Amino acid sequence: METTSASQIQSVETDVTSSPNTAPASKANVLVIGNSGVGKSTLINAVLGEEAALAGFGMQGTTKELRVYENATLPFRLIDTAGFEPSFFKRRAAIRAVKNWSKNNAKAGTIDTRINAIWFCIDGTSSKLFPRTIRSLSQATSMWPSVPVIAVITKSYSVPDRQRNVELVTNAFSSQPHRTNLCKIIPVVAQTYTLNEDAYAAPEGIAELIDATNDILPDGYKAAEKDIARFKLNRRRVLSQSVVVAATTSGALVGAVPIPFPDAAILGPVEIAQINALARIYGIAKNEASRKFFDSIVQVGTVSLAAQGAISALKAIPGVNLGAAALNAVIAGSIVAALGEGTIVAFEQVSLGNKTVADTEWVRGLMQSRLSAEFIATAKAALAKSGDGMSARKIAQLVLGAVIAEKGGKK
């Protein structure tokens, strides 16, 4: 089951059939190709974010074959070829759309229409089709024989399968003698994928793809390292929110089971899954050095005095007239959401070099602060809107809504 972030990341679309813009735009052009269902739209959203817009560099009649996306920060626009399929006629229509797009904009003199890089998007769950897919995509892009290629293995949910898939893609490319311009193979997960209540395939590979693309662009297009770093930090924040959404839902589901809820210990597996998923987004290795750091977060959210105090305070709120299942679901979801938001802050500070995984006392204090008075107020707001018989998923939505409202109130 796939989940999206709390902000519901979506591109803001404009009309691709409009006339070319008259203002110059010094961006490189990256051709994004792949068969239907490979996840190109999800990938584009993950890379460009909700600020992405369909650019006005189009022409009448291309809406089915070509969409051009760009973001104000990144030095490249993405040309999504919706029609690249194994079918000869669909491939030809897509290639014609790209040619017409280039010709139309070159005539207007508005943008550089050369293709500077290609993303070959290959479905990581269909490894048996790798040779056929790459052969088809290579044929379709033979008009750009020297353009550098990044093979993007989408839906790379299985960690053990990733290395095997990379090897399979490498072998498939080696069988294409005219394709000597493969620069990198990057497995990605573009959107949080919930495997079960205790496991998530977190967004992964997006920052690496941004870096790799910037690196292979001509020198005149490359963005400054500090600009790319700032953009990746923002993307990590947004992608991390989708993990918190999934974990909060899991927490509410666990809390809603008809058993006593005397403490938060039963949330341990949910919290561990959330921490591991967020660590992957921020590139924090799971090893002996980080184990105590991770454990400190889990302990605050499960067996600490802060967690026990938060539970007692919520259960003692006067006027709360909820059954045990609904009340416990709100409490559990609120704890998971609070610890998730705190973990994002902690991992961001580590990734920026402001803190290290040795700073266990600092992270313990940070997590305890997340279960303080502000937490009680946020959970209370969710309790006020909850009711008996409400599904755990609906309760999780109320909890997340309260968290978002509380964060907005701080700004």
Side-chain angles (χ1 to χ4, degrees):
M1 166 183 165
E2 291 190 359
T3 60
T4 54
S5 73
S7 60
Q8 295 295 303
I9 308 170
Q10 293 181 352
S11 295
V12 180
E13 297 189 355
T14 57
D15 185 4
V16 77
T17 63
S18 60
S19 299
N21 289 356
T22 55
S26 55
K27 287 182 181 288
N29 297 309
V30 177
L31 186 66
V32 184
I33 65 174
N35 295 337
S36 292
V38 75
K40 288 185 297 166
S41 295
T42 305
L43 177 66
I44 289 171
N45 260 358
V47 171
L48 297 184
E50 60 187 340
E51 301 84 3
L54 277 169
F57 305 112
M59 64 286 183
Q60 188 67 35
T62 65
T63 51
K64 291 184 178 180
E65 295 90 6
L66 184 68
R67 289 186 174 223
V68 183
Y69 297 85
E70 62 181 42
N71 176 287
T73 303
L74 288 182
F76 54 85
R77 62 177 63 88
L78 299 177
I79 304 172
D80 179 14
T81 51
F84 270 95
E85 300 278 359
S87 161
F88 168 78
F89 293 103
K90 289 184 177 181
R91 277 206 314 271
R92 188 171 64 176
I95 292 171
R96 184 171 61 248
V98 176
K99 286 181 176 179
N100 289 342
W101 174 82
S102 296
K103 180 180 179 181
N104 199 51
N105 286 289
K107 185 183 297 183
T110 55
I111 60 173
D112 187 340
T113 61
R114 288 174 294 183
I115 300 300
N116 304 106
I118 298 174
W119 290 356
F120 270 22
C121 297
I122 308 154
D123 189 339
T125 65
S126 303
S127 56
K128 291 182 179 180
L129 301 178
F130 285 176
R132 183 193 309 171
T133 300
I134 292 172
R135 184 166 58 251
S136 174
L137 298 181
S138 294
Q139 292 171 352
T141 58
S142 58
M143 64 182 289
W144 300 289
S146 60
V147 172
V149 169
I150 297 175
V152 184
I153 306 177
T154 62
K155 305 178 185 179
S156 292
Y157 307 129
S158 172
V159 175
D161 285 347
R162 287 178 190 170
Q163 186 56 46
R164 184 174 68 89
N165 283 348
V166 168
E167 293 174 0
L168 289 172
V169 170
T170 300
N171 293 336
F173 265 95
S174 65
S175 67
Q176 303 296 311
H178 63 286
R179 271 292 171 201
T180 59
N181 49 348
L182 176 63
C183 297
K184 200 154 191 177
I185 301 173
I186 303 178
V188 303
V189 177
Q191 188 176 21
T192 297
Y193 188 85
T194 303
L195 303 171
N196 54 54
E197 289 181 359
D198 301 335
Y200 314 100
E204 201 164 351
I206 301 302
E208 184 182 359
L209 179 58
I210 292 171
D211 282 336
T213 303
N214 189 55
D215 288 345
I216 64 175
L217 296 181
D219 290 338
Y221 290 114
K222 292 182 181 179
E225 186 175 339
K226 64 178 182 179
D227 293 333
I228 289 291
R230 189 182 304 114
F231 182 82
K232 289 190 299 181
L233 182 64
N234 178 65
R235 297 309 309 138
R236 284 188 171 113
R237 286 173 184 162
V238 175
L239 294 173
S240 294
Q241 291 299 320
S242 67
V243 171
V244 175
V245 170
T248 300
T249 302
S250 293
L253 287 167
V254 169
V257 297
I259 60 174
F261 192 71
D263 56 44
I266 63 172
L267 296 177
V270 175
E271 276 298 322
I272 292 170
Q274 178 175 238
I275 291 167
N276 289 336
L278 292 173
R280 287 195 293 274
I281 292 176
Y282 281 94
I284 298 174
K286 185 181 178 182
N287 52 35
E288 187 60 30
S290 62
R291 182 182 60 80
K292 291 182 179 179
F293 194 82
F294 292 5
D295 287 348
S296 297
I297 299 174
V298 175
Q299 289 167 6
V300 171
T302 55
V303 298
S304 71
L305 292 177
Q308 300 299 326
I311 292 171
S312 298
L314 289 172
K315 289 197 170 186
I317 294 174
V320 175
N321 190 23
L322 288 178
L327 176 60
N328 290 345
V330 173
I331 294 173
S334 298
I335 290 174
V336 172
L339 270 293
E341 292 292 334
T343 302
I344 292 174
V345 173
F347 286 170
E348 182 173 297
Q349 291 302 305
V350 172
S351 71
L352 290 172
N354 298 330
K355 297 291 181 180
T356 72
V357 292
D359 293 318
T360 54
E361 288 301 317
W362 167 78
V363 78
R364 188 175 290 111
L366 173 65
M367 294 302 140
Q368 289 172 346
S369 72
R370 294 284 158 163
L371 299 178
S372 62
E374 288 181 355
F375 166 79
I376 302 298
T378 300
K380 186 177 179 180
L383 283 170
K385 296 180 180 180
S386 302
D388 290 333
M390 187 175 288
S391 72
R393 296 186 185 282
K394 178 62 177 176
I395 287 175
Q397 291 175 1
L398 293 176
V399 169
L400 291 163
V403 170
I404 292 170
E406 189 269 332
K407 287 171 63 178
K410 287 183 178 181
K411 295 180 180 179

